[in-house]
Amino acid sequence: MRFNLERDALAEAVAWVARSLPSRPVLPILSGLLLEADADGLTLSCFDYEVSARIRVDAEVADPGTVLVPGRLLAEITRSLPSASVEFGHGTDDVTLTCGPASFTLVTLPVRDYPRLPELPRLAGLVDGGVLAAAIGQVVPAASRDDTLPVITGVNVEIDGDVIKLVATDRYRLAVRELGWNPAQPGSRGTLLVPAKTLADAARMMTPGVPVRVMMGGEQGSAWSADGAPGAASPGATSTDPNSLRAADAMIGFESAGRRLTTRLIAGEYIKYMSRFPEDFGSRGDMPAIPLAEAVKRVALVAERGSSVRLSFGHGKVTIEAGTEGQARARETVPADFSGNETAIAFSPHYLMDGLGAALTAATGAAGDKPAKDSPAKDSPAKDSQGTDPPPDEARICLQFTSPTKPALITGSARPGDKSAPDYRYLVVPLRALTG
């Protein structure tokens, strides 16, 4: 095997695939990264029986072939190479990588022992890459990192016709995001529990304006159906009526712009999260989104670990305060419209900033949150009377709460007085309840 390509293209491709390599492979062979060169270019891939990643890049191939090399070592090497063309040459038991004055020789791993990568199941639908990536970024931070509770380390993906709902929680906060998509089969319904880390890695391959193919079903091409055929849903995927989608062996895949990522789903039933949302709140504060987010970020600089950022509402303003005993204190005010009897509440700085950042993204349509062609209009911010997007400085954050010890709700809107239902909701436990 012999081929060459530019250093930047190679380093980016290797880095993206290497993110899916297992940190503690159950078999040494699974630490490898597979390179396949043919007349159409170079394909890089990895697979650990749970997650697979594959990317195709252009390369000048002089001699086609396949080789398996230590993945993380290759990532370290390609990241440090000088800016020049990279040439690969494959010997009997090793591969040589040359870039300008730098040269490396890597011992190869046995390709015959490497597992066959899973094929993508059937197409379930299309969604704009910017819209889906923004939605993933809004909910993934709320997913738990406690591996002793696998169910809440995932993002619950609920499909109901042309709407997808993403849900994540770590028991102290709950993030919910709705977005539109174009299902391959109208009326499809189903629920899947996707590992949050893998979903975050998938978001890295998505680009605004470029459609993402979402695939659901089993490894060998079996797919979800809407024919009402008998059979039970797989662990990690549930069906809700006779016309709902059903997974054969619990798998989801994403494909866009030459990149492909697949993962097995998490087995188990997700929490009944809708009951966590109170029917009503006693207090409500409405504030300009950007000034509030910036003020909280500044004030949080002096909040020591385990301390809070406190919000106190007064006449026409909210005061944000934090401090470290004996070291520093910070205080800033932001305009606010407020109603209610309870006027103060405190949060973990990290949890509060996560929620405000995601609500700000929802309110301003940031991170490419625009609908793809033929996508439902609900994915773009509300238009003004001239049919244009409202300026970001009109975006608002709404904070609703009942007491300093009960969960509070954070949402965003595109402009003052916007009464439309929010696409993003963030329910967070105040710090007093969290530590008490």
Side-chain angles (χ1 to χ4, degrees):
M1 180 179 75
R2 192 168 74 257
F3 64 88
N4 66 76
L5 72 166
E6 290 302 311
R7 177 263 180 193
D8 289 348
L10 176 64
E12 181 184 2
V14 172
W16 184 77
V17 175
R19 289 186 62 85
S20 296
L21 287 169
S23 56
R24 297 182 180 87
V26 294
L27 298 172
I29 196 74
L30 300 181
S31 66
L33 195 152
L34 191 68
L35 288 77
E36 300 171 273
D38 56 33
D40 296 325
L42 175 67
T43 299
L44 302 92
S45 56
C46 70
F47 181 42
D48 67 350
Y49 296 106
E50 295 291 332
V51 177
S52 78
R54 179 184 300 176
I55 184 172
R56 193 164 189 84
V57 294
D58 293 331
E60 296 180 11
V61 179
D63 185 12
T66 301
V67 65
L68 185 68
V69 298
R72 296 195 184 279
L73 179 57
L74 181 63
E76 292 288 340
I77 291 171
T78 55
R79 183 166 55 245
S80 65
L81 291 175
S83 182
S85 178
V86 181
E87 182 174 339
F88 269 81
H90 183 206
T92 304
D93 297 313
D94 57 32
V95 61
T96 301
L97 181 156
T98 304
C99 181
S103 180
F104 296 86
T105 300
L106 302 179
V107 175
T108 59
L109 303 172
V111 174
R112 64 181 180 276
D113 296 336
Y114 199 68
R116 182 172 64 88
L117 268 70
E119 293 300 322
L120 280 181
R122 196 172 303 169
L123 177 68
L126 298 172
V127 61
D128 178 88
V131 173
L132 183 54
I136 291 170
Q138 289 170 307
V139 301
V140 162
S144 174
R145 292 165 178 78
D146 183 359
D147 291 335
T148 63
L149 296 170
V151 170
I152 59 174
T153 64
V155 173
N156 202 49
V157 180
E158 302 175 12
I159 297 170
D160 189 357
D162 60 0
V163 174
I164 297 177
K165 182 185 292 185
L166 306 179
V167 185
T169 185
D170 60 5
R171 294 177 296 167
Y172 304 118
R173 53 190 172 156
L174 172 66
V176 180
R177 172 68 157 92
E178 293 186 5
L179 64 148
W181 78 320
N182 296 312
Q185 193 163 7
S188 300
R189 300 179 66 192
T191 301
L192 307 95
L193 192 50
V194 185
K197 179 186 179 302
T198 307
L199 200 57
D201 288 342
R204 294 173 179 269
M205 63 185 265
M206 302 175 189
T207 304
V210 178
V212 175
R213 293 165 56 88
V214 182
M215 328 291 280
M216 300 177 187
E219 288 186 26
Q220 305 303 324
S222 55
W224 289 20
S225 65
D227 57 8
S234 307
T238 62
S239 67
T240 53
D241 65 24
N243 293 319
S244 63
L245 299 172
R246 282 194 291 272
D249 43 19
M251 181 179 172
I252 189 169
F254 304 91
E255 186 175 42
S256 181
R259 302 187 183 200
R260 175 186 298 184
L261 189 72
T262 71
T263 182
R264 293 186 183 276
L265 304 180
I266 298 173
E269 185 176 354
Y270 205 63
I271 65 170
K272 306 297 183 183
Y273 65 90
M274 287 303 296
S275 62
R276 305 294 199 273
F277 287 96
E279 294 184 4
D280 194 17
F281 294 91
S283 297
R284 175 189 177 100
D286 187 88
M287 298 147 286
I290 295 176
L292 177 65
E294 292 178 346
V296 169
K297 185 176 181 180
R298 283 190 291 268
V299 169
L301 292 174
V302 302
E304 65 180 349
R305 183 178 180 85
S307 65
S308 66
V309 170
R310 178 182 173 88
L311 282 69
S312 303
F313 291 90
H315 296 293
K317 66 179 182 180
V318 59
T319 300
I320 304 118
E321 298 176 277
T324 299
E325 187 67 30
Q327 295 185 24
R329 294 196 64 81
R331 185 174 185 269
E332 188 167 343
T333 61
V334 173
D337 296 325
F338 179 75
S339 61
N341 296 323
E342 191 66 52
T343 60
I345 191 166
F347 300 101
S348 157
H350 173 64
Y351 285 2
L352 180 58
M353 287 190 291
D354 278 351
L356 292 178
L360 178 60
T361 297
T364 60
D369 194 3
K370 302 288 183 183
K373 185 178 181 181
D374 299 325
S375 291
K378 78 186 291 295
D379 287 328
S380 65
K383 306 286 184 178
D384 61 19
S385 58
Q386 283 74 43
T388 59
D389 292 335
D393 57 8
E394 287 191 6
R396 309 290 289 185
I397 292 290
C398 178
L399 172 64
Q400 300 178 76
F401 59 99
T402 300
S403 80
T405 61
K406 292 184 178 180
L409 179 65
I410 296 174
T411 57
S413 60
R415 58 162 60 84
D418 187 354
K419 301 298 184 182
S420 59
D423 289 336
Y424 176 79
R425 292 175 292 165
Y426 184 81
L427 195 68
V428 56
V429 178
L431 190 62
R432 291 184 186 178
L434 177 62
T435 58

